[in-house]
Amino acid sequence: MKKWILGFIALWLLQGVACAEAFRPNERVAFIGDSITHEGSYHTLIQAFYATRFPDRNVQCFNLGISGDIAKGGAERSDPSGSAIWARDVRSVRPTAATIMLGMNDAGTGHFLSAKTKDELEAENAKRFGYYKNSYGQMLDNLEALGVDRITPIKSSPYDQTQVNPKKPALLQFGIGKNDAIVAMGRGVVDVEAAVRGFSVCDFNTPMLELNARQQKDDPAFSICGKDRVHPQEEGHMVMAWLFLKFQGLESSVAELTVDARSPQVVDANNCTASNLKTSGDQISFDYKANALPFPRSAYQAAAHLIEFESEFNRERLAVRGLKTGAYVLNMDGVSVGEYSAAELEAGINMALLEQAPQMLQAHEVLRLCEERAELANTLRGVMFSCKYLKRKGYDSDDIVACKAVIDDVIAGEKAIYQQRALQEYADWIEGYDEQLEKVESMVEKIYAAARPGTHRIELSLRER
């Protein structure tokens, strides 16, 4: 592992970050957040990891992000008894667990540009801190009233106030930046509430800033937070998923198998089985079944230069002792997936790197289904976003007939394309919201069916010279 990664993780742990328990079987997890959650993929990657690593656990992750949302919105959407569509958002997925990542919008934007003095800026930050504190506490009260017994506050991914970006000047005035306000809310509200209620806090902000700083030494224009300093892209969301999985203490091998070709016999098997071992001339074969699937490399390749996901989470080790010197062709289910020397096989190879291996093809199908489910869920996010938008425009989003009658005019009067799209999703899906949510839920059954590990015949044959 890169020494600097070890260094900042050690520092992060020394700062008091506690690890949380992994999600339990049949857990229904509400990922509450703003646009970083609404439009992002870290929760989809976590869903895919749980499906591939724990195929019998049936964990369901639900995207409950709303673009532009603040802690007040989170409190309103988690109302334990309200009848409005907006108030039922969290309740609609019947969560048993929840994560909360809010603060980016609570920290504000405009006052960093308009403040004339440092005192004026600090006064506005203090006011926003107070709003955040009151609403955050109410949100936690609501979730507990809903019976959500496992809550994980997440300190928000950073606003990048250090990137060199002439097209998007940083919100940094009088030595105080937007991320400084986010950090202050994390320390003064998230940490305090968590300590009082006995929650473990997952911190995205600190380690992501550290990764940023390392990269910006060589490339000042780099940002893990995206071109707008706010929204992480593919690599950033993978980093967030990695941080969350580490927070839950899930670093482990997919499976580990050691076979002695001379006996032949299984020397060691971890999270897998091997049976029906046979040797014939310069060939050994056996039936192999792991209890988990590897994680698709395509999901973390963009962040491979930033994190050690592969060594920490994606090792499916096969070691074969006692082979004659030479090069061996590895076949799985009759398909050639690689060629290795006897020395390499004795040291152990990582089957999670074999793109054509049947278990990797299966893992890619699981990821595809998770992404398909995320697309379905995103239409529901557009509906819920539009409920807030329509209310702000003076309409009652619960009066579906009235809203649909004016929706074309509302869309025509809106310049932002993403808001137009969300309003169209309200028009298309508001009457079928419950049915669409059922589709999202039904996808989980398909995901876990696809993730069920199978038995594969492995053959190693000495390649003819």
Side-chain angles (χ1 to χ4, degrees), residues 412-464:
E414 176 54 59
K415 294 181 180 179
I417 294 175
Y418 79 93
Q419 291 182 346
Q420 291 176 348
R421 183 178 67 246
L423 288 164
Q424 188 59 56
E425 286 169 338
Y426 176 92
D428 293 342
W429 294 104
I430 184 60
E431 292 175 300
Y433 186 92
D434 292 338
E435 290 80 358
Q436 185 76 338
L437 182 56
E438 288 177 6
K439 288 182 182 179
V440 171
E441 295 213 35
S442 68
M443 283 291 298
V444 174
E445 185 176 347
K446 294 181 180 178
I447 289 167
Y448 281 93
R452 194 172 297 121
T455 299
H456 305 290
R457 188 67 181 171
I458 291 181
E459 296 178 351
L460 281 164
S461 303
L462 185 64
R463 180 170 58 81
E464 296 182 4

Side-chain angles (χ1 to χ4, degrees), residues 49-127:
F49 181 85
Y50 265 86
T52 52
R53 186 56 53 90
F54 307 112
D56 294 328
R57 202 168 290 194
N58 195 40
V59 169
Q60 298 187 48
C61 300
F62 294 90
N63 176 359
L64 292 188
I66 294 288
S67 291
D69 209 11
I70 56 177
K72 182 175 184 289
E76 292 172 348
R77 292 192 286 127
S78 56
D79 190 322
S81 59
S83 59
I85 296 171
W86 176 252
R88 299 196 306 267
D89 187 32
V90 175
R91 206 178 345 142
S92 68
V93 302
R94 309 187 310 281
T96 61
T99 74
I100 305 165
M101 186 171 69
L102 291 163
M104 183 65 69
N105 298 309
D106 297 83
T109 297
H111 68 288
F112 286 97
L113 302 172
S114 63
K116 300 295 190 297
T117 65
K118 184 176 181 180
D119 287 345
E120 182 183 340
L121 179 61
E122 289 179 332
E124 180 63 24
N125 280 345
K127 184 169 68 173

Side-chain angles (χ1 to χ4, degrees), residues 61 135 203 318 340 355-356 381 402:
C61 300
S135 294
D203 183 3
L318 170 64
Y340 303 92
E355 289 296 332
Q356 296 307 310
R381 293 297 86 208

